[in-house]
PDB file of all heavy atoms in Angstrom:
ATOM      1  N   HIS A  47      -1.898   0.496   4.159  1.00 97.00           N
ATOM      2  CA  HIS A  47      -1.115   1.581   4.737  1.00 97.00           C
ATOM      3  C   HIS A  47       0.023   1.999   3.808  1.00 97.00           C
ATOM      4  O   HIS A  47       0.562   1.202   3.055  1.00 97.00           O
ATOM      5  CB  HIS A  47      -0.519   1.156   6.081  1.00 97.00           C
ATOM      6  CG  HIS A  47      -1.517   0.978   7.164  1.00 97.00           C
ATOM      7  ND1 HIS A  47      -2.344   1.985   7.593  1.00 97.00           N
ATOM      8  CD2 HIS A  47      -1.818  -0.111   7.919  1.00 97.00           C
ATOM      9  CE1 HIS A  47      -3.105   1.538   8.568  1.00 97.00           C
ATOM     10  NE2 HIS A  47      -2.811   0.248   8.784  1.00 97.00           N
ATOM     11  N   GLY A  48       0.366   3.246   3.921  1.00 96.00           N
ATOM     12  CA  GLY A  48       1.496   3.800   3.199  1.00 96.00           C
ATOM     13  C   GLY A  48       1.780   5.189   3.728  1.00 96.00           C
ATOM     14  O   GLY A  48       1.087   5.690   4.615  1.00 96.00           O
ATOM     15  N   ASN A  49       2.796   5.801   3.181  1.00 94.00           N
ATOM     16  CA  ASN A  49       3.082   7.191   3.473  1.00 94.00           C
ATOM     17  C   ASN A  49       3.685   7.814   2.230  1.00 94.00           C
ATOM     18  O   ASN A  49       3.615   7.221   1.146  1.00 94.00           O
ATOM     19  CB  ASN A  49       3.942   7.362   4.734  1.00 94.00           C
ATOM     20  CG  ASN A  49       5.275   6.681   4.634  1.00 94.00           C
ATOM     21  OD1 ASN A  49       5.902   6.668   3.582  1.00 94.00           O
ATOM     22  ND2 ASN A  49       5.729   6.093   5.732  1.00 94.00           N
ATOM     23  N   GLU A  50       4.292   8.975   2.359  1.00 94.00           N
ATOM     24  CA  GLU A  50       4.761   9.682   1.171  1.00 94.00           C
ATOM     25  C   GLU A  50       5.860   8.951   0.413  1.00 94.00           C
ATOM     26  O   GLU A  50       6.123   9.261  -0.748  1.00 94.00           O
ATOM     27  CB  GLU A  50       5.209  11.107   1.511  1.00 94.00           C
ATOM     28  CG  GLU A  50       6.389  11.196   2.465  1.00 94.00           C
ATOM     29  CD  GLU A  50       5.995  11.160   3.935  1.00 94.00           C
ATOM     30  OE1 GLU A  50       4.791  11.147   4.261  1.00 94.00           O
ATOM     31  OE2 GLU A  50       6.907  11.122   4.776  1.00 94.00           O
ATOM     32  N   ASP A  51       6.484   7.962   1.001  1.00 95.00           N
ATOM     33  CA  ASP A  51       7.557   7.281   0.286  1.00 95.00           C
ATOM     34  C   ASP A  51       7.456   5.755   0.278  1.00 95.00           C
ATOM     35  O   ASP A  51       8.412   5.078  -0.109  1.00 95.00           O
ATOM     36  CB  ASP A  51       8.921   7.708   0.830  1.00 95.00           C
ATOM     37  CG  ASP A  51       9.189   7.231   2.251  1.00 95.00           C
ATOM     38  OD1 ASP A  51       8.261   6.706   2.899  1.00 95.00           O
ATOM     39  OD2 ASP A  51      10.332   7.373   2.708  1.00 95.00           O
ATOM     40  N   CYS A  52       6.316   5.193   0.659  1.00 97.00           N
ATOM     41  CA  CYS A  52       6.223   3.729   0.609  1.00 97.00           C
ATOM     42  C   CYS A  52       4.781   3.230   0.708  1.00 97.00           C
ATOM     43  O   CYS A  52       3.882   3.955   1.111  1.00 97.00           O
ATOM     44  CB  CYS A  52       7.058   3.093   1.712  1.00 97.00           C
ATOM     45  SG  CYS A  52       6.339   3.222   3.357  1.00 97.00           S
ATOM     46  N   HIS A  53       4.626   1.968   0.333  1.00 97.00           N
ATOM     47  CA  HIS A  53       3.416   1.177   0.585  1.00 97.00           C
ATOM     48  C   HIS A  53       3.838   0.043   1.505  1.00 97.00           C
ATOM     49  O   HIS A  53       4.903  -0.553   1.308  1.00 97.00           O
ATOM     50  CB  HIS A  53       2.862   0.561  -0.703  1.00 97.00           C
ATOM     51  CG  HIS A  53       2.271   1.548  -1.636  1.00 97.00           C
ATOM     52  ND1 HIS A  53       2.117   1.290  -2.965  1.00 97.00           N
ATOM     53  CD2 HIS A  53       1.783   2.793  -1.440  1.00 97.00           C
ATOM     54  CE1 HIS A  53       1.565   2.319  -3.554  1.00 97.00           C
ATOM     55  NE2 HIS A  53       1.357   3.258  -2.654  1.00 97.00           N
ATOM     56  N   TYR A  54       2.995  -0.279   2.461  1.00 97.00           N
ATOM     57  CA  TYR A  54       3.286  -1.370   3.392  1.00 97.00           C
ATOM     58  C   TYR A  54       2.516  -2.629   3.010  1.00 97.00           C
ATOM     59  O   TYR A  54       1.363  -2.565   2.578  1.00 97.00           O
ATOM     60  CB  TYR A  54       2.901  -0.978   4.825  1.00 97.00           C
ATOM     61  CG  TYR A  54       3.861  -0.016   5.461  1.00 97.00           C
ATOM     62  CD1 TYR A  54       3.635   1.352   5.433  1.00 97.00           C
ATOM     63  CD2 TYR A  54       5.019  -0.481   6.078  1.00 97.00           C
ATOM     64  CE1 TYR A  54       4.528   2.242   6.009  1.00 97.00           C
ATOM     65  CE2 TYR A  54       5.932   0.406   6.654  1.00 97.00           C
ATOM     66  CZ  TYR A  54       5.664   1.759   6.614  1.00 97.00           C
ATOM     67  OH  TYR A  54       6.561   2.634   7.185  1.00 97.00           O
ATOM     68  N   GLY A  55       3.173  -3.782   3.219  1.00 96.00           N
ATOM     69  CA  GLY A  55       2.527  -5.073   3.015  1.00 96.00           C
ATOM     70  C   GLY A  55       2.225  -5.762   4.329  1.00 96.00           C
ATOM     71  O   GLY A  55       1.496  -6.745   4.382  1.00 96.00           O
ATOM     72  N   SER A  56       2.786  -5.229   5.409  1.00 96.00           N
ATOM     73  CA  SER A  56       2.529  -5.714   6.768  1.00 96.00           C
ATOM     74  C   SER A  56       2.815  -4.551   7.701  1.00 96.00           C
ATOM     75  O   SER A  56       3.133  -3.452   7.245  1.00 96.00           O
ATOM     76  CB  SER A  56       3.424  -6.912   7.110  1.00 96.00           C
ATOM     77  OG  SER A  56       4.764  -6.516   7.231  1.00 96.00           O
ATOM     78  N   SER A  57       2.729  -4.789   8.978  1.00 94.00           N
ATOM     79  CA  SER A  57       2.943  -3.690   9.925  1.00 94.00           C
ATOM     80  C   SER A  57       4.358  -3.131   9.858  1.00 94.00           C
ATOM     81  O   SER A  57       4.599  -1.999  10.258  1.00 94.00           O
ATOM     82  CB  SER A  57       2.620  -4.140  11.352  1.00 94.00           C
ATOM     83  OG  SER A  57       3.470  -5.191  11.741  1.00 94.00           O
ATOM     84  N   ASN A  58       5.300  -3.899   9.305  1.00 94.00           N
ATOM     85  CA  ASN A  58       6.681  -3.409   9.269  1.00 94.00           C
ATOM     86  C   ASN A  58       7.416  -3.646   7.959  1.00 94.00           C
ATOM     87  O   ASN A  58       8.588  -3.306   7.856  1.00 94.00           O
ATOM     88  CB  ASN A  58       7.486  -4.014  10.425  1.00 94.00           C
ATOM     89  CG  ASN A  58       7.571  -5.512  10.340  1.00 94.00           C
ATOM     90  OD1 ASN A  58       6.968  -6.128   9.477  1.00 94.00           O
ATOM     91  ND2 ASN A  58       8.307  -6.115  11.246  1.00 94.00           N
ATOM     92  N   GLU A  59       6.790  -4.218   6.947  1.00 96.00           N
ATOM     93  CA  GLU A  59       7.493  -4.484   5.687  1.00 96.00           C
ATOM     94  C   GLU A  59       7.031  -3.543   4.588  1.00 96.00           C
ATOM     95  O   GLU A  59       5.852  -3.526   4.223  1.00 96.00           O
ATOM     96  CB  GLU A  59       7.318  -5.931   5.223  1.00 96.00           C
ATOM     97  CG  GLU A  59       8.150  -6.208   3.988  1.00 96.00           C
ATOM     98  CD  GLU A  59       8.343  -7.671   3.695  1.00 96.00           C
ATOM     99  OE1 GLU A  59       7.716  -8.516   4.362  1.00 96.00           O
ATOM    100  OE2 GLU A  59       9.143  -7.976   2.802  1.00 96.00           O
ATOM    101  N   LYS A  60       7.971  -2.784   4.061  1.00 97.00           N
ATOM    102  CA  LYS A  60       7.707  -1.877   2.939  1.00 97.00           C
ATOM    103  C   LYS A  60       7.812  -2.677   1.652  1.00 97.00           C
ATOM    104  O   LYS A  60       8.878  -3.191   1.311  1.00 97.00           O
ATOM    105  CB  LYS A  60       8.708  -0.723   2.931  1.00 97.00           C
ATOM    106  CG  LYS A  60       8.614   0.152   4.166  1.00 97.00           C
ATOM    107  CD  LYS A  60       9.688   1.224   4.156  1.00 97.00           C
ATOM    108  CE  LYS A  60       9.584   2.082   5.401  1.00 97.00           C
ATOM    109  NZ  LYS A  60      10.615   3.134   5.444  1.00 97.00           N
ATOM    110  N   ILE A  61       6.697  -2.797   0.942  1.00 97.00           N
ATOM    111  CA  ILE A  61       6.714  -3.588  -0.295  1.00 97.00           C
ATOM    112  C   ILE A  61       7.149  -2.751  -1.491  1.00 97.00           C
ATOM    113  O   ILE A  61       7.720  -3.270  -2.440  1.00 97.00           O
ATOM    114  CB  ILE A  61       5.364  -4.278  -0.544  1.00 97.00           C
ATOM    115  CG1 ILE A  61       4.216  -3.286  -0.568  1.00 97.00           C
ATOM    116  CG2 ILE A  61       5.142  -5.373   0.490  1.00 97.00           C
ATOM    117  CD1 ILE A  61       2.878  -3.875  -0.970  1.00 97.00           C
ATOM    118  N   VAL A  62       6.863  -1.462  -1.462  1.00 98.00           N
ATOM    119  CA  VAL A  62       7.355  -0.525  -2.473  1.00 98.00           C
ATOM    120  C   VAL A  62       7.812   0.714  -1.727  1.00 98.00           C
ATOM    121  O   VAL A  62       7.066   1.261  -0.919  1.00 98.00           O
ATOM    122  CB  VAL A  62       6.275  -0.154  -3.510  1.00 98.00           C
ATOM    123  CG1 VAL A  62       6.801   0.910  -4.470  1.00 98.00           C
ATOM    124  CG2 VAL A  62       5.788  -1.370  -4.281  1.00 98.00           C
ATOM    125  N   ASN A  63       9.050   1.118  -1.993  1.00 97.00           N
ATOM    126  CA  ASN A  63       9.563   2.352  -1.395  1.00 97.00           C
ATOM    127  C   ASN A  63      10.539   2.994  -2.376  1.00 97.00           C
ATOM    128  O   ASN A  63      10.634   2.575  -3.529  1.00 97.00           O
ATOM    129  CB  ASN A  63      10.173   2.106  -0.015  1.00 97.00           C
ATOM    130  CG  ASN A  63      11.410   1.248  -0.041  1.00 97.00           C
ATOM    131  OD1 ASN A  63      11.915   0.858  -1.090  1.00 97.00           O
ATOM    132  ND2 ASN A  63      11.921   0.929   1.134  1.00 97.00           N
ATOM    133  N   LEU A  64      11.266   3.985  -1.941  1.00 97.00           N
ATOM    134  CA  LEU A  64      12.171   4.706  -2.837  1.00 97.00           C
ATOM    135  C   LEU A  64      13.307   3.837  -3.371  1.00 97.00           C
ATOM    136  O   LEU A  64      13.879   4.136  -4.413  1.00 97.00           O
ATOM    137  CB  LEU A  64      12.725   5.940  -2.129  1.00 97.00           C
ATOM    138  CG  LEU A  64      11.681   6.991  -1.739  1.00 97.00           C
ATOM    139  CD1 LEU A  64      12.339   8.144  -0.992  1.00 97.00           C
ATOM    140  CD2 LEU A  64      10.910   7.489  -2.956  1.00 97.00           C
ATOM    141  N   LYS A  65      13.611   2.741  -2.696  1.00 97.00           N
ATOM    142  CA  LYS A  65      14.682   1.857  -3.153  1.00 97.00           C
ATOM    143  C   LYS A  65      14.258   0.954  -4.309  1.00 97.00           C
ATOM    144  O   LYS A  65      15.099   0.488  -5.074  1.00 97.00           O
ATOM    145  CB  LYS A  65      15.202   0.998  -1.996  1.00 97.00           C
ATOM    146  CG  LYS A  65      15.915   1.803  -0.933  1.00 97.00           C
ATOM    147  CD  LYS A  65      16.413   0.921   0.180  1.00 97.00           C
ATOM    148  CE  LYS A  65      17.120   1.761   1.230  1.00 97.00           C
ATOM    149  NZ  LYS A  65      17.600   0.949   2.353  1.00 97.00           N
ATOM    150  N   ASN A  66      12.957   0.676  -4.439  1.00 97.00           N
ATOM    151  CA  ASN A  66      12.512  -0.214  -5.512  1.00 97.00           C
ATOM    152  C   ASN A  66      11.334   0.360  -6.313  1.00 97.00           C
ATOM    153  O   ASN A  66      10.680  -0.364  -7.056  1.00 97.00           O
ATOM    154  CB  ASN A  66      12.158  -1.598  -4.961  1.00 97.00           C
ATOM    155  CG  ASN A  66      10.875  -1.610  -4.150  1.00 97.00           C
ATOM    156  OD1 ASN A  66      10.369  -0.566  -3.716  1.00 97.00           O
ATOM    157  ND2 ASN A  66      10.339  -2.790  -3.916  1.00 97.00           N
ATOM    158  N   VAL A  67      11.092   1.647  -6.196  1.00 97.00           N
ATOM    159  CA  VAL A  67       9.941   2.247  -6.873  1.00 97.00           C
ATOM    160  C   VAL A  67      10.009   2.060  -8.388  1.00 97.00           C
ATOM    161  O   VAL A  67       8.976   2.061  -9.061  1.00 97.00           O
ATOM    162  CB  VAL A  67       9.793   3.737  -6.491  1.00 97.00           C
ATOM    163  CG1 VAL A  67      10.899   4.584  -7.096  1.00 97.00           C
ATOM    164  CG2 VAL A  67       8.417   4.264  -6.880  1.00 97.00           C
ATOM    165  N   ASN A  68      11.196   1.857  -8.917  1.00 97.00           N
ATOM    166  CA  ASN A  68      11.323   1.644 -10.359  1.00 97.00           C
ATOM    167  C   ASN A  68      10.536   0.426 -10.847  1.00 97.00           C
ATOM    168  O   ASN A  68      10.238   0.330 -12.037  1.00 97.00           O
ATOM    169  CB  ASN A  68      12.801   1.524 -10.747  1.00 97.00           C
ATOM    170  CG  ASN A  68      13.467   0.336 -10.107  1.00 97.00           C
ATOM    171  OD1 ASN A  68      13.228   0.017  -8.939  1.00 97.00           O
ATOM    172  ND2 ASN A  68      14.330  -0.333 -10.853  1.00 97.00           N
ATOM    173  N   ILE A  69      10.183  -0.486  -9.955  1.00 96.00           N
ATOM    174  CA  ILE A  69       9.392  -1.652 -10.385  1.00 96.00           C
ATOM    175  C   ILE A  69       7.993  -1.251 -10.838  1.00 96.00           C
ATOM    176  O   ILE A  69       7.316  -2.022 -11.489  1.00 96.00           O
ATOM    177  CB  ILE A  69       9.288  -2.748  -9.288  1.00 96.00           C
ATOM    178  CG1 ILE A  69       8.538  -2.241  -8.062  1.00 96.00           C
ATOM    179  CG2 ILE A  69      10.649  -3.285  -8.934  1.00 96.00           C
ATOM    180  CD1 ILE A  69       8.213  -3.325  -7.057  1.00 96.00           C
ATOM    181  N   LEU A  70       7.569  -0.027 -10.508  1.00 97.00           N
ATOM    182  CA  LEU A  70       6.248   0.448 -10.942  1.00 97.00           C
ATOM    183  C   LEU A  70       6.299   1.140 -12.297  1.00 97.00           C
ATOM    184  O   LEU A  70       5.258   1.522 -12.838  1.00 97.00           O
ATOM    185  CB  LEU A  70       5.652   1.396  -9.890  1.00 97.00           C
ATOM    186  CG  LEU A  70       5.359   0.769  -8.531  1.00 97.00           C
ATOM    187  CD1 LEU A  70       4.831   1.823  -7.572  1.00 97.00           C
ATOM    188  CD2 LEU A  70       4.375  -0.388  -8.681  1.00 97.00           C
ATOM    189  N   SER A  71       7.494   1.245 -12.857  1.00 95.00           N
ATOM    190  CA  SER A  71       7.631   1.824 -14.184  1.00 95.00           C
ATOM    191  C   SER A  71       6.798   1.020 -15.184  1.00 95.00           C
ATOM    192  O   SER A  71       6.794  -0.216 -15.152  1.00 95.00           O
ATOM    193  CB  SER A  71       9.107   1.815 -14.583  1.00 95.00           C
ATOM    194  OG  SER A  71       9.280   2.407 -15.824  1.00 95.00           O
TER     195      SER A  71
END
């Protein structure tokens, strides 16, 4: 699951979002 600003690792935990997207650099 995900949406326009995140990927989910569980039903409620965002594993990548706008706050840490730089880790995908």
Side-chain angles (χ1 to χ4, degrees):
H47 291 301
N49 60 38
E50 63 274 356
D51 68 351
C52 75
H53 290 159
Y54 285 95
S56 69
S57 62
N58 62 355
E59 185 164 8
K60 297 176 180 180
I61 56 173
V62 175
N63 66 4
L64 297 178
K65 293 180 180 179
N66 72 343
V67 70
N68 63 320
I69 64 171
L70 296 178
S71 182

